[in-house]
Amino acid sequence: TTQDVTERRDAEERVRASEQILRSVTDNAPDVITVIDHELRVRYLNRPIGGLDPRQVVGRPALDLATGDVATVERSLRHVLATGEPLELEVRHERADGTIRWYRHRLSAIRAHDVVESVIVHTTDTTRSHEYERRLRAQARVLATMQEGVAVIDSAGAVRLTNPAFEAMFGYASGALDG
């Protein structure tokens, strides 16, 4: 009947609109988003990786694209597929040119009727954060080993940081002035 056709057309339009919204979200997400099935094959990829277009990747074994410790990535995928429990891991990847990249993978189950159908992996390049952390550790070592006393005081006059040389000069215990 006309009503049945209209209802069906309206339902199809709602599905299309929902798909457009989802596509917009994944296309504009800062992460690489990958969906991997029980056979560990890529079922969805939101953007090119490693010079490969998503159309070249869908259907391929996910482990062919894995970086760093591939065995840990495989164990993690299989764990989420078997248990549905989310996992997070960080992997180090050395490129062919010797540069190091770091990636954080957040794995979650995609369920249909309470059954784990696949895993969605959100991958973030954390290389810049690792570099900042490395620099901060180096600066902390320099500050801690300086012979000159250093104190950082905020605009309200509160001592925020002192180094060991400052504490020794004035006879304070480590961290006694911080606050």
Side-chain angles (χ1 to χ4, degrees), residues 67-68 93-101 103:
T67 60
H93 173 68
E94 185 171 349
R95 291 181 171 175
D97 66 2
T99 58
I100 303 297
R101 304 298 296 180
Y103 299 98

Side-chain angles (χ1 to χ4, degrees), residues 25-85:
V25 167
T26 59
D27 285 351
N28 292 294
D31 290 345
V32 172
I33 300 172
T34 313
V35 175
I36 300 168
D37 66 17
H38 278 276
E39 288 76 40
L40 300 186
R41 293 198 172 276
V42 176
R43 292 297 164 215
Y44 173 80
L45 179 67
N46 72 323
R47 68 176 42 140
I49 59 169
L52 297 172
D53 184 87
R55 291 179 301 253
Q56 295 172 290
V57 173
V58 171
R60 289 181 55 185
L63 297 177
D64 288 356
L65 307 170
T67 60
D69 183 355
V70 177
T72 298
V73 172
E74 180 178 6
R75 273 193 310 278
S76 299
L77 287 166
R78 291 192 188 284
H79 176 81
V80 174
L81 285 163
T83 67
E85 297 172 2

